[in-house]
Structures are given as C-alpha cells and as structure tokens.
C-alpha cells in the first residue's frame, strides 16, 4: 500500500480522505508525492476513462523503493535501457518525455509513399539515438502499464483499457515540442449508438492529413488492432478494428515488405486463438480523402494484450498469465533479436525479484556471454534461464500458482 503527501497533508491510498486528495491534486500545480522514499517521488493524476488514477511520471519507476507498487524493474535489462537519456529525454519537473524519432512525420507533397516497412528497425546503428516506429509502440505499451499482468485481471483487459492507457501515455510525451497525443490517432472503443459522434471526432483528428502547408504533407500516427488485410486492386486494404468504414491503403511493394519483415508476427497472429495483431503506422492523406500507409510496423500480442515476439515467449506468457504473481513483460525496442533481454520480470517474487531469460535455439556464443554479463550485473535479481534447444519451459520456482493448472510437462530449472 502506498502513502502520499500533497502539500502538508499525508494519507494512505486506502484512507477515505485519499480520493479527496487525488481530486485536489488533479489540475493543481502541486505534485502528489509517493512516500516510499523519505523525500517523496512526484506522481501525476491521469484521467483514465473519467476515473482519476495516480500514476508515476515517465521513466521514474526506478526511483521508487523496490517494495512500492510504483517501482519498476531496471530498464537496462530490456531494450529501453539504451534509449533513456538519448532518444528519450525526461523533463522531470514537467513530467514530459521528449522523443527523437528515426522516421518522418511529414513528407513532400506529390512524393510517392516510401516502402512501408523501411528501416531495419532493429539495426544496431539506430540502437541508442532515435526511436523506430516499433520502439515508439513499445514505449507507449510500457508507459501505459500494458506490459504488466497478474491473473487477478483475467477478463478485465479489453480495447477500452488499451485505448485509455495508450492515450494517457501519449499525453506525457512530446516530439519537438508538439504533444504526441495531438499527432497520434487511436480509435476509441466503437459503440453503434454513438456512431455519428465517434466518426465526427475521428474526422476532426485526421483532418490534418488533407491540409498541406508549405509544400509538405503532415503524416499522422495511427495505432490500432488489425481486423484483416482486405484485398484491393493492388496492395491491401487494412481493416482496423473500432474504425468501421475506414480503409487504409497499403501499396503492393509495402505489403510484400511487410510480409517479409513481420513474418513471425503474422504467424503468431494467424496461429493464435485469442491473440491480437497491433499495427503502428504513419499515414498520409491523398486526393479524394484516401488514407495511405507511409510506414508500418506490427506487434503480436496475447489474449491479455501482452506483446510477444516468438513462440517461446508465447509459451512463457501463457504460463505467467495464469499466475497471481505479478509479471512485467520486457520489450526489445530497437535491439536486434540476436541480443538477450529479460523477456519478463517477476518483481514481487521472494526473497528476490526474478528476471526470466529465453535463449532461442541457435543462439551463438556471443549471446551466452552477453547474457552471463547481464545476470552478473544484477545480483539483486535472481535469474531463470530457458534454453529452448534443451527442451520445454523449466519450472518457475516461487511463482504463485493459486490459479495455475499445468498444461505441459515441467522440468527442473537449468
Ligand atoms: Zn513509491
């Protein structure tokens, strides 16, 4: 349980007076402080679908005491580490993260669309300096808290929650002084009885696509769940859930590049029962009110909306999904697949939090060396390693298995 201070008033989050304190902090210039540390750590009040929620400021999870619910596992175990203070810079007083992107948000009028999946997003070169399209999606997912899971939330995470948490995270980020929230469209959960108003809001938000200024066209960012890749005379029509009537055109060359570059994501989506496929795209407007993909990246997520990048991760997440122990999914951001990351972290495990690592079949000696160094650098965490080439998922000691029923054979940890 957290304890907070506002001005000179202190209270626990379970006290009756707490909601009053939150209301007072909302819209006030004074920051609510989490008192897990004596000096207090500034928090902000988020409006999540008309409910006020106390959230940590971007990238401040490491400042909280390890026992505080606002604490976050160390960033250097995932692809986020190399980006902090380089591609992502935090203005601590405003609580706003400013981002450097390695893809454009405008283009010359009359120019053709680029190949949709430009940038080897995981190339080593761009690792630390700028965010790729996929990295931006990973950052929003991470900051929105959508990488966290416990089985207590089973059945309680839907597009409604994803939409609100991503939107809130985007409001805490800016690109060259412009709020990311202004440049990003995420379809709101569609309700037939609110159709006209929803379509009007959508048209308003996307209207910038059709107003070039000084010879340049503005591109919008779009994040949505893919319903299907519909056929078109050439290329594909992307059908996005919660956007009935909206079609996003992807040129043939872009579609071919997408299939190559995101083959794994497409396979995971096609083979899964309850997973979803998330797209992030820069979108350009063209004559006649059409919207066209300029650049696109895909991310496969589980039924719990947890990002996965391989069949092994899918297997691990499926296992963790049924445990009451909290888990935090680690994301790759710009890092290439031949580098280890903590695929997940169990922050509340006793006696120590545990980092979970998957060594893919075919990993080379460099992978193992880097992994050994990563584990050695964090003696405050225990490590669990699954070498896929050696067999099925080893057992996970200490995991709270209250709601857990094993579906597969388990082995002793390697
Ligand atoms: Zn705290």
């Amino acid at each position: 349980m957290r304890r907070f201070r506002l001005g000179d008033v202190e209270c626990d989050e379970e006290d009756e007076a707490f909601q009053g304190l939150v209301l007072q902090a909302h819209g006030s210039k004074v920051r609510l402080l989490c008192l897990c540390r004596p000096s207090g750590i500034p928090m902000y009040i988020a409006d999540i679908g008309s409910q006020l929620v106390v959230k940590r400021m971007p990238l401040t999870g490491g400042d909280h005491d390890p026992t505080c619910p606002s604490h976050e596992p160390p960033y250097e175990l995932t692809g986020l580490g190399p980006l902090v203070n380089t591609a992502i810079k935090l203005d601590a007083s405003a609580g706003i993260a400013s981002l450097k992107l390695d893809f454009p948000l405008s283009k010359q009028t009359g120019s053709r669309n680029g190949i949709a999946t430009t940038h080897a997003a995981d190339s080593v070169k761009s690792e630390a300096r700028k965010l790729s399209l996929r990295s931006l999606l990973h950052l929003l997912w991470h900051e929105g808290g959508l990488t966290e899971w416990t089985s207590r939330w089973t059945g309680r995470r839907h597009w409604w929650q994803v939409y609100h948490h991503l939107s809130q995270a985007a409001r805490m980020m800016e690109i060259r002084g412009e709020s990311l929230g202004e440049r990003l469209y995420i379809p709101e959960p569609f309700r037939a009885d609110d159709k006209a108003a929803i379509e009007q809001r959508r048209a308003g938000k996307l209207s910038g696509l059709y107003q070039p200024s000084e010879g340049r066209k503005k591109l919008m960012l779009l994040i949505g769940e893919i319903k299907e890749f519909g056929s078109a005379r050439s290329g594909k029509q992307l059908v996005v859930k919660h956007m009935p009537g909206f079609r996003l055109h992807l040129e043939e060359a872009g579609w071919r590049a997408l299939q190559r570059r995101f083959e794994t994501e497409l396979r995971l989506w096609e083979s899964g029962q309850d997973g979803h496929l998330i797209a992030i795209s820069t979108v350009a407007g063209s004559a006649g009110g059409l919207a066209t993909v300029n650049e696109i990246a895909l991310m496969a997520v589980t039924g719990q909306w947890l990002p996965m990048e391989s069949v092994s991760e899918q297997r691990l997440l499926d296992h963790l999904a049924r445990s009451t122990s909290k888990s935090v999914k680690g994301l790759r951001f710009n890092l290439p697949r031949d580098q280890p990351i903590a695929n997940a972290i169990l922050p509340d495990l006793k006696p120590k939090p545990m980092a979970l690592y998957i060594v893919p079949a075919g990993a080379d000696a460099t992978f193992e060396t880097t992994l050994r160094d990563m584990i050695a650098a964090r003696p405050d965490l225990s490590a669990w390693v699954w070498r896929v080439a050696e067999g099925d998922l080893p057992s996970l000691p200490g995991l709270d298995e209250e709601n857990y029923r094993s579906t597969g054979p388990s082995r002793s940890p390697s």
Side-chain angles (χ1 to χ4, degrees):
M1 185 174 55
R2 292 173 299 181
R3 188 168 176 79
F4 293 99
R5 185 167 69 219
L6 184 71
D8 45 17
V9 185
E10 273 186 28
C11 78
D12 289 336
E13 59 187 328
E14 310 223 318
D15 290 352
E16 260 178 53
F18 181 62
Q19 279 314 314
L21 209 66
V22 170
L23 263 176
Q24 209 187 322
H26 185 57
S28 134
K29 287 231 155 65
V30 186
R31 291 276 180 204
L32 196 63
L33 301 176
C34 179
L35 295 177
C36 65
R37 301 279 193 203
S39 54
I41 299 159
M43 306 285 281
Y44 77 96
I45 313 296
D47 191 346
I48 304 285
S50 76
Q51 198 192 348
L52 296 181
V53 180
V54 181
K55 295 199 78 157
R56 64 178 163 245
M57 311 248 255
L59 307 177
T60 58
D63 299 346
H64 291 261
D65 186 88
T67 60
C68 176
S70 293
H71 177 77
E72 258 191 319
Y75 303 134
E76 62 267 29
L77 295 182
T78 69
L80 180 53
L83 300 171
V84 175
N85 295 324
T86 55
I88 310 165
K89 287 210 169 97
L90 180 67
D91 175 341
S93 61
I96 297 288
S98 57
L99 314 179
K100 279 192 214 148
L101 309 179
D102 84 345
F103 54 91
L105 282 179
S106 71
K107 64 187 291 192
Q108 209 103 43
T109 49
S111 67
R112 284 180 54 82
N113 287 306
I115 298 293
T117 58
T118 56
H119 303 289
D122 7 303
S123 77
V124 182
K125 210 174 56 180
S126 63
E127 207 166 280
R129 292 187 296 272
K130 289 176 175 181
L131 290 164
S132 66
L133 207 49
R134 184 186 69 173
S135 292
L136 176 61
L137 182 60
H138 281 185
L139 181 65
L140 286 163
W141 224 259
H142 173 93
E143 287 299 325
L146 297 167
T147 50
E148 300 176 13
W149 182 256
T150 145
S151 64
R152 294 195 180 90
W153 300 340
T154 301
R156 283 161 51 190
R157 186 178 281 170
H158 307 282
W159 182 252
W160 193 93
Q161 282 78 13
V162 174
Y163 164 77
H164 282 290
H165 285 280
L166 291 179
S167 302
Q168 178 57 48
R171 287 194 280 271
M172 304 302 283
M173 298 176 193
E174 61 173 34
I175 299 153
R176 291 199 211 157
E178 182 187 3
S179 170
L180 176 59
E182 294 295 311
R183 224 11 129 77
L184 173 65
Y185 182 74
I186 309 171
E188 58 181 299
F190 186 79
R191 295 194 326 273
D193 59 356
D194 204 15
K195 186 169 184 280
I198 289 175
E199 284 179 350
Q200 201 170 18
R201 283 193 287 272
R202 180 171 89 197
K205 185 94 188 224
L206 296 178
S207 64
L209 289 178
Y210 307 101
Q211 299 155 2
S213 80
E214 292 162 14
R216 292 196 73 79
K217 248 194 236 182
K218 193 164 154 181
L219 303 179
M220 287 289 289
L221 277 156
L222 170 73
I223 294 177
E225 181 185 358
I226 297 285
K227 187 174 181 207
E228 61 174 324
F229 295 96
S231 52
R233 187 166 299 176
S234 85
K236 289 283 176 190
Q237 298 283 356
L238 272 59
V239 183
V240 179
K241 285 198 183 173
H242 300 284
M243 293 180 84
F246 179 83
R247 293 292 178 271
L248 186 58
H249 186 246
L250 176 62
E251 290 175 0
E252 183 60 34
W255 169 238
R256 282 198 302 269
L258 186 80
Q259 285 173 295
R260 276 195 305 276
R261 169 80 177 73
F262 296 99
E263 187 188 357
T264 311
E265 284 75 10
L266 289 164
R267 284 225 185 122
L268 285 167
W269 175 51
E270 282 157 5
S271 66
Q273 312 266 309
D274 54 356
H276 313 269
L277 186 66
I278 307 297
I280 181 168
S281 171
T282 52
V283 176
S286 54
L290 296 173
T292 311
V293 170
N294 195 66
E295 206 177 310
I296 185 168
L298 299 177
M299 177 173 86
V301 299
T302 66
Q304 297 78 28
W305 302 86
L306 298 166
M308 54 178 166
E309 60 170 27
S310 64
V311 174
S312 321
E313 273 203 352
Q314 186 179 38
R315 172 98 177 90
L316 175 63
L317 291 172
D318 179 47
H319 190 84
L320 295 175
R322 284 167 284 149
S323 167
T324 51
S325 299
K326 182 178 156 185
S327 58
V328 183
K329 176 69 181 59
L331 299 177
R332 192 164 284 287
F333 293 78
N334 287 8
L335 285 183
R337 276 173 190 261
D338 61 3
Q339 281 202 35
I341 56 166
N343 301 81
I345 289 181
L346 301 169
D348 299 336
L349 222 61
K350 301 284 178 274
K352 285 199 238 183
M354 187 188 273
L356 313 181
Y357 302 94
I358 297 175
V359 181
D364 61 8
T366 317
F367 189 101
E368 288 281 359
T369 311
T370 313
L371 176 59
R372 200 181 56 215
D373 294 346
M374 282 170 75
I375 294 173
R378 300 301 312 204
D380 54 325
L381 305 172
S382 54
W384 172 95
V385 181
W386 174 19
R387 290 186 175 78
V388 174
E390 290 177 6
D392 195 24
L393 190 79
S395 71
L396 269 158
L399 195 68
D400 191 335
E401 301 194 350
E402 212 174 296
N403 293 343
Y404 178 69
R405 264 177 234 105
S406 176
T407 51
S410 72
R411 284 162 23 103
S412 54
S414 49

